[in-house]
Each structure stands twice: as structure tokens, then as C-alpha cells.
Amino acid sequence: MKKLLLCLVFLLGAVGFASAQNLSPLGVWTNGEKKATFEIYKCGNKLCGKIVSLTVPNDPATGKPKTDSQNPDPKLRSRPRLGLVFMQDFEYDEANKWDDGKIYDPESGKTYSCYMKMLNANTMEVKGYIGFSLIGRSQTWTRVK
């Protein structure tokens, strides 16, 4: 009886662990401001993210598509924001969390350490920080598809 109970507990734990890993950030997301949509995708054995749409795709001053004008590297300032890979190097950590990534903010030209943590199938926390993850800025992203 003890062996049967132990096997049942092990199987339930394994099913719970497998279903917990099923919460994947792969797909298209938007943040609370809804200024853009972002696609999270596999790049090798890690995850990356790119901008796939902008609510306001053109610069109001020029009427031309928005560029990475705040980039600290002058050579990159003319690249388009649309399609820009702004998240890189995320590795699965544990408990539906992808860590050790970098996130680039094209509005400020700054790059931060970052993690993504799935809260449920359609919601995740994205936190950019400098140094320690306790200090930083979090956003809640919602799955678009």
C-alpha cells in the first residue's frame, strides 16, 4: 500500500511539474501601455523578443517610420524600431521563470538585465533591473496571441 501511495504521489508531482513548465512565454504580447506588440521566440536554445507592431509607427515630427534614435551607438540610430530585437539571452530558470536576459528600451537607449515570469497562460511579469532584481521596474504583459 505504501508503494502504491508513493508511486501515486510521484506521478502527481511529475504531472504537476510538467504542466508548470507548459506555461510558455512564446507568442505575441503587449504591455500595459499598449504602445506596441512584442513577439517572444526561440533563438537557439534561448528566448529573444522583437517589436512586431507599434500603435504609432511613424515619428510625428517627420512622418517617417520610427527609428532607434536614442541608441548610444550612433551607427544604430537609423535602424527601424519595427522588427527591432530588444530582448535577448533568456534561459529557463525554474518555476516558469526565464532569467539572465537583457532588455533594451529604444525610448531611452538603455539596456537592463531582465527576467520574465509567467503568472498564468496569458499574463507574465517582465522586470528590468540594474544589479539586483529586487531593485528595478516591473511590467505586466498580456498575451495577444
Side-chain angles (χ1 to χ4, degrees), residues 37-41 48-53 83-87:
T37 57
F38 320 106
E39 180 181 7
I40 306 297
Y41 60 95
C48 294
K50 66 181 175 181
I51 300 171
V52 293
S53 75
L84 180 70
V85 176
F86 75 109
M87 299 176 78

Side-chain angles (χ1 to χ4, degrees), residues 4 11 17 30 46 84 112:
L4 179 62
L11 285 174
F17 179 75
T30 190
K46 298 182 180 185
L84 180 70
Y112 303 93

Side-chain angles (χ1 to χ4, degrees), residues 103-137:
I103 189 166
Y104 170 71
D105 177 5
E107 292 187 0
S108 70
K110 295 183 180 180
T111 300
Y112 303 93
S113 297
C114 186
Y115 71 76
M116 300 182 288
K117 183 172 183 175
M118 296 296 297
L119 303 176
N120 60 50
N122 295 310
T123 310
M124 76 171 156
E125 174 190 18
V126 178
K127 184 168 189 174
Y129 57 93
I130 297 173
F132 300 100
S133 64
L134 295 174
I135 302 169
R137 187 174 132 215

